[in-house]
Amino acid sequence: MFFLRQNEMWQPVVIELNRSLFSEMMVCSMSTQLFHIPETENLQGNAEMHSHLVPASYHRVTASGSAQRLMNGENGPSLVQTLTNCIQNAEQEDRGVRRGLQVMENAAPSSYKPFIQSIILHQNEAERYLQNAKQTTMQITGGGAWQGQSQYSNSQGAWY
């Protein structure tokens, strides 16, 4: 019976992180494509943006895997801490991604501005879904997990 509650509890986090990952895939694909187009291969801001996009992607993937494992019934304070830290790290890297995208939009040839604006829309979605996952995780774990001290436990006292 507890497993079903565990599954139901973490499922919204998994869904939101998967949505964030999908949007992140579009950002990665589209912005990398610009490196392979002669008019945009040296677009100002793209390389800097990627220096944040790569770790942001890593942290989203790790958070998603952690949430999936929690949904499947695994537990432990270190797993919850991995999830919460990776969400926070992705948020931090997203700020650098956003700065780079603004530089790219300003520097892009006018014919590529709509393409970059589409990348920005996908980034907006990636961040929105990440925030949804964060809010749900905070509801599940309480504030302690976000300060490095997981206070989440089930009624039998087991740590998750």
Side-chain angles (χ1 to χ4, degrees):
M1 182 68 170
F2 178 73
F3 179 76
L4 291 176
R5 288 189 318 215
Q6 179 89 352
N7 181 295
E8 292 169 5
M9 183 171 42
W10 288 106
Q11 186 174 19
V13 176
V14 170
I15 290 168
E16 292 301 314
L17 287 172
N18 285 338
R19 289 176 176 161
S20 184
L21 275 173
F22 176 81
S23 297
E24 186 91 342
M25 287 189 298
M26 295 302 102
V27 173
C28 290
S29 173
M30 294 172 77
S31 61
T32 300
Q33 181 182 354
L34 293 171
F35 287 124
H36 304 285
I37 300 170
E39 297 87 358
T40 59
E41 66 185 350
N42 295 311
L43 181 61
Q44 185 181 1
N46 199 5
E48 179 199 349
M49 188 272 294
H50 273 83
S51 73
H52 295 282
L53 185 60
V54 171
S57 300
Y58 166 81
H59 290 299
R60 273 185 175 79
V61 167
T62 305
S64 183
S66 298
Q68 182 69 48
R69 290 172 60 203
L70 287 162
M71 187 179 80
N72 290 341
E74 290 187 52
N75 60 57
S78 60
L79 184 54
V80 172
Q81 197 62 54
T82 299
L83 171 64
T84 59
N85 284 355
C86 283
I87 289 173
Q88 291 172 321
N89 291 338
E91 286 176 316
Q92 182 176 342
E93 295 296 341
D94 282 344
R95 290 190 279 280
V97 169
R98 183 158 299 282
R99 284 190 306 271
L101 285 169
Q102 284 305 134
V103 171
M104 291 166 62
E105 183 180 27
N106 292 336
S110 60
S111 61
Y112 286 91
K113 287 191 187 293
F115 187 79
I116 294 170
Q117 290 164 353
S118 181
I119 298 171
I120 292 170
L121 290 175
H122 285 294
Q123 180 63 27
N124 291 343
E125 289 177 347
E127 291 178 24
R128 184 176 73 243
Y129 293 132
L130 185 69
Q131 285 305 304
N132 293 346
K134 179 180 180 178
Q135 292 304 316
T136 303
T137 301
M138 288 178 82
Q139 291 171 359
I140 294 168
T141 63
W146 299 92
Q147 279 78 41
Q149 301 171 338
S150 179
Q151 296 178 2
Y152 171 66
S153 65
N154 71 10
S155 61
Q156 295 143 7
W159 289 92
Y160 292 93

